[in-house]
Amino acid sequence: MSALLSPRVLRGLLPPLSLAALLIAIFWLQPRTMSYFGLNLLLNLAVPIALATIAQMFILCVNELDLSIGGFVSLVACITATWLHDTPLLGIAALVGLIVAYALLGALIHIRNLPSIVVTLGMSFVWLGLAVLVLPTPGGKAPEYIRSLMTLKPSLVPFPIIASVVIAGVVHLFLMRSAVGTVLRGAGGNPRSLERAGWSLLKIKMSMFALAGFFGVLSGMALVGLTTSADANIALRYTLLSIAGVILGGGEFVGGRVSPIGAVIGAMTLALAGSFLSFLRLNPDWQIGAQGAILIVVLALRVLISRSEAKR
Amino acid sequence: MRTFTKAALLATVAAVAALPGQGAWADTSGKRIALSNNYAGNSWRQAMLRSWDKVTSQAVSDGVVAAADAFTTAENQVTEQAAQIQNLILQGYDAIVINAASPEGLNGAVQEACDAGVTVVSFDGIVTAECAWRIAVDFKQMGKDEVLYLADRLPEGGNLLEIRGLAGVFVDDEISAGIHEGVAETGKFEVVGSVHGNWAQDVAQKAVAGILPSLPEIVGVVTQGGDGYGAAQAIAASGRDMPIIVMGNRHDELTWWKEQKDANGYETMSVSIAPGVSTLAFWVAQQILDGADVPKDLTVPFLRIDQDNLEENLANTEPGGVANVEYSLGDAQGVIAGAM
């Protein structure tokens, strides 16, 4: 019994429990959501947020912070709705180019020892500017295959739930269970010992940033699949949502301590928190504050658990 | 037998008399309409929400619809509003009236709503999804109307000063295009100067004061609203004769016009979009739910103020605000009939 309720287990259970509590509250407030159709509408916009959160998680894992992911996802959305739709080859080349650009950013930050907050804050304006250049006025059209993937209606389980489980599962196996993943995480937790053991920190940082870019690209494509067309400002909210999602899911600002499954759960919790507050008919002026309050409550619970862990 | 006929006749008369008033309402008394709004941070949007509240709460208490709730997103972001619209579908609203954060970015959510059988009506910030209705503003016509009015007042024509809005915004381009189209069509005016007033009196005053010394005599000033009072101040300070300045329904503009009218019979006109357009969208949604045949694209009528109804409109405009009008069911039916 005591093993079951050990702080370690409790801390691991906190993200799924918060999500479950929120879901039950939503079901109670609005029974219509308790259906295939309802869950689909409730969660489909959480899929691109989850992908952006995974991207942010890779960056946080190597002890950096990405303030440009929102602008980056917006740019990807604009490219997806224009080039990838009209001239697929150019579109694919541009998206691959963006991932390479992300890897190069990682290299720049590592070699010049620059603070990632400053570099990515600057890049957020570059991404936004490029997005406006690609798509000066809102428009474009989602490629048919992305649209049909995102509006897939599999029998029994709604698509957003399947997508979330697949994303969380694949990243978990790669980062938490594979040998490569352990090395990548180690670069955030204890870079010095990793370097002594002969690994190249530069390569690790570049691959982590490239992975972040890859998931950022997936996020933008998923978003356009849902919205059908793009807007240069479409995903600016994702910067803060993704950071909050990682932290809510059990990640920490010190490198190496992240959880892919937690990050996906955190992203879904944040998306649901918005719906929950709107079902409550809360005045919009209070909604941002209330969203913050939900974050604080979950994080405060975590601090309490960690403290009881320290006492032992 | 005789009394029976009389009673039957009376009942028929009563039924016929009740038809135009309530016959159209009977079908929507159980329907719920939601307003999805992306931004509430300026006086126009605040007035828009107040008008919505005033007209719809009356409609709800009259039993026209069951509910008409307004929702504003916490942040002016496309993804927020898309999520909000999906939540409104889940809350079981029969119609959603949208002032959209983006004309394209919400189409996915709008499509979800249409697929779920929800009527979607967008206004002001419209959406392009084909299944939605649009109540758009013809800003181009608004600019053209200004020039046509001036052409009427000034048969000999002359030089015009144009005050534009915020550079790079679509509304500014549209109004300006309308003005230039009107100038080309009437053929008796020349736009000799153009400045950006950013729809703000202080900016307009500085900009006009800056360009005035380089201009020949001007007979008219075409504006975009929110800039007429500043232009008047700048021209008065320069000691020139006061040209005809087209106003934009703001309280300070109307007040200045009234002062001039009382002092020296100054004549002009004022035109803009009333924030109460949200109530027009409400009635259009109600009509669609009622089964009326409504074209997908409708146009908002302008709120135009002329010499004779200036006092009345000024009295109804609060200081710092903009002249407003709330639309009725009859107005909505008129707009729909006009678009058929």
Side-chain angles (χ1 to χ4, degrees):
Chain A
M1 189 67 201
S2 67
L4 260 180
L5 287 178
S6 77
R8 206 185 138 83
V9 175
L10 270 183
R11 199 168 56 185
L13 277 179
L14 194 58
L17 284 182
S18 333
L19 179 66
L22 211 51
L23 257 183
I24 290 168
I26 287 177
F27 286 162
W28 178 68
L29 277 173
Q30 191 51 258
R32 270 194 199 85
T33 54
M34 221 184 331
S35 63
Y36 183 95
F37 169 76
L39 282 171
N40 198 23
L41 277 190
L42 205 57
L43 291 171
N44 65 7
L45 281 167
V47 174
I49 300 178
L51 287 164
T53 307
I54 292 285
Q56 185 70 255
M57 185 201 71
F58 282 118
I59 307 276
L60 276 173
C61 187
V62 282
N63 216 355
E64 307 283 1
L65 195 62
D66 185 0
L67 294 183
S68 71
I69 192 76
F72 182 74
V73 173
S74 299
L75 172 59
V76 172
C78 290
I79 290 177
T80 307
T82 52
W83 295 347
L84 195 60
H85 178 263
D86 304 329
T87 47
L89 274 182
L90 177 65
I92 292 169
L95 294 178
V96 171
L98 283 179
I99 297 175
V100 172
Y102 243 71
L104 291 178
L105 269 184
L108 177 73
I109 287 169
H110 181 73
I111 294 171
R112 308 300 305 173
N113 205 8
L114 296 168
S116 58
I117 293 185
V118 177
V119 175
T120 56
L121 183 63
M123 284 313 288
S124 70
F125 296 103
V126 175
W127 300 137
L128 187 61
L130 288 175
V132 173
L133 281 181
V134 173
L135 194 65
T137 52
K141 198 161 172 30
E144 225 23 75
Y145 51 94
I146 299 180
R147 176 79 187 143
S148 42
L149 174 69
M150 292 310 291
T151 51
L152 212 59
K153 299 261 189 308
S155 54
L156 292 177
V157 186
F159 175 73
I161 296 180
I162 298 179
S164 306
V165 170
V166 168
I167 296 165
V170 167
V171 180
H172 179 83
L173 284 180
F174 169 72
L175 196 62
M176 312 304 276
R177 291 274 179 263
S178 76
V180 189
T182 313
V183 172
L184 290 178
R185 273 185 298 139
N190 198 342
R192 203 168 296 163
S193 61
L194 208 71
E195 203 166 20
R196 284 212 192 108
W199 299 93
S200 157
L201 273 185
L202 174 67
K203 276 186 192 158
I204 291 177
K205 276 228 164 129
M206 283 178 74
S207 18
M208 283 306 239
F209 270 78
L211 278 169
F214 174 68
F215 277 90
V217 166
L218 289 185
S219 170
M221 289 167 72
L223 183 58
V224 171
L226 289 171
T227 60
T228 72
S229 49
D231 182 321
N233 298 311
I234 196 162
L236 296 188
R237 281 262 295 161
Y238 282 17
T239 302
L240 288 179
L241 278 178
S242 65
I243 297 172
V246 177
I247 302 303
L248 203 56
E252 273 172 43
F253 281 119
V254 283
R257 301 188 80 171
V258 293
S259 150
I261 297 176
V264 171
I265 291 178
M268 296 176 89
T269 310
L270 280 175
L272 284 182
S275 302
F276 170 68
L277 295 171
S278 117
F279 290 143
L280 268 185
R281 306 285 306 275
L282 203 67
N283 185 324
D285 298 341
W286 293 91
Q287 278 190 15
I288 293 191
Q291 233 161 350
I294 292 179
L295 260 176
I296 290 172
V297 167
V298 175
L299 294 184
L301 279 174
R302 197 161 94 195
V303 171
L304 282 179
I305 293 169
S306 303
R307 207 171 273 173
S308 73
E309 193 175 29
K311 267 186 200 154
R312 291 197 176 190
Chain B
M1 189 63 206
R2 201 149 177 220
T3 41
F4 173 75
T5 334
K6 207 170 169 188
L9 196 72
L10 268 178
T12 318
V13 169
V16 169
L19 260 181
Q22 285 172 345
W25 296 357
D27 292 335
T28 60
S29 59
K31 303 282 188 185
R32 294 160 69 231
I33 300 178
L35 169 66
S36 162
N37 176 39
N38 66 315
Y39 179 63
N42 62 27
S43 62
W44 198 93
R45 288 294 178 107
Q46 288 291 337
M48 182 194 92
L49 290 171
R50 272 199 303 277
S51 292
W52 171 273
D53 189 53
K54 192 171 146 195
V55 169
T56 60
S57 56
Q58 184 61 42
V60 169
S61 65
D62 287 348
V64 181
V65 292
D69 308 308
F71 297 86
T72 301
T73 51
E75 282 184 77
N76 182 13
Q77 294 284 335
V78 177
T79 43
E80 290 268 296
Q81 201 175 11
Q84 184 195 50
I85 291 170
Q86 300 195 157
N87 289 335
L88 293 176
I89 305 171
L90 287 173
Q91 280 167 282
Y93 285 97
D94 299 288
I96 303 176
V97 174
I98 302 178
N99 194 343
S102 156
E104 304 274 353
L106 294 173
N107 282 352
V110 170
Q111 194 60 49
E112 295 277 2
C114 296
D115 292 346
V118 178
T119 300
V120 178
V121 177
S122 61
F123 71 98
D124 187 37
I126 54 168
V127 296
T128 54
E130 271 172 30
C131 64
W133 276 263
R134 278 161 291 281
I135 303 179
V137 179
D138 192 352
F139 287 110
K140 209 168 176 183
Q141 188 62 43
M142 190 170 126
K144 202 169 163 183
D145 278 358
E146 293 185 22
V147 181
L148 295 181
Y149 168 79
L150 289 177
D152 210 33
R153 284 282 312 281
L154 304 162
E156 286 95 56
N159 296 325
L160 299 182
L161 169 63
E162 180 189 11
I163 306 180
R164 300 188 55 159
L166 208 54
V169 179
F170 136 91
V171 175
D172 169 57
D173 292 335
E174 285 288 298
I175 298 181
S176 181
I179 286 172
H180 286 271
E181 198 179 295
V183 167
E185 227 167 79
T186 51
K188 50 187 162 188
F189 293 110
E190 192 190 347
V191 177
V192 291
S194 176
V195 292
H196 279 280
N198 295 6
W199 301 311
Q201 308 292 3
D202 53 337
V203 182
Q205 181 171 353
K206 262 183 264 168
V208 173
I211 196 175
L212 269 183
S214 68
L215 294 182
E217 193 202 351
I218 46 176
V219 295
V221 181
V222 280
T223 65
Q224 298 198 353
D227 42 16
Y229 176 73
Q233 294 300 313
I235 293 169
S238 75
R240 288 179 179 232
D241 288 338
M242 191 57 71
I244 299 176
I245 305 174
V246 178
M247 296 298 177
N249 291 5
R250 268 57 167 193
H251 182 264
D252 46 11
E253 296 176 342
L254 299 179
T255 311
W256 179 85
W257 177 9
K258 174 84 176 79
E259 283 166 14
Q260 297 297 308
K261 180 182 172 185
D262 291 347
N264 52 33
Y266 185 76
E267 255 185 73
T268 183
M269 68 94 134
S270 177
V271 64
S272 187
I273 305 300
V277 61
S278 59
T279 63
L280 181 69
F282 167 75
W283 288 116
V284 168
Q286 188 268 341
Q287 283 294 297
I288 297 167
L289 289 177
D290 197 19
D293 187 17
V294 180
K296 287 276 155 111
D297 287 284
L298 301 170
T299 307
V300 182
F302 306 116
L303 174 57
R304 178 171 167 161
I305 300 173
D306 284 297
Q307 202 71 3
D308 45 343
N309 60 6
L310 168 62
E311 282 78 8
E312 183 195 336
N313 276 294
L314 181 56
N316 291 333
T317 307
E318 51 194 284
V322 49
N324 195 4
V325 60
E326 272 120 23
Y327 294 92
S328 67
L329 176 57
D331 295 329
Q333 283 165 338
V335 168
I336 293 167
M340 290 293 233

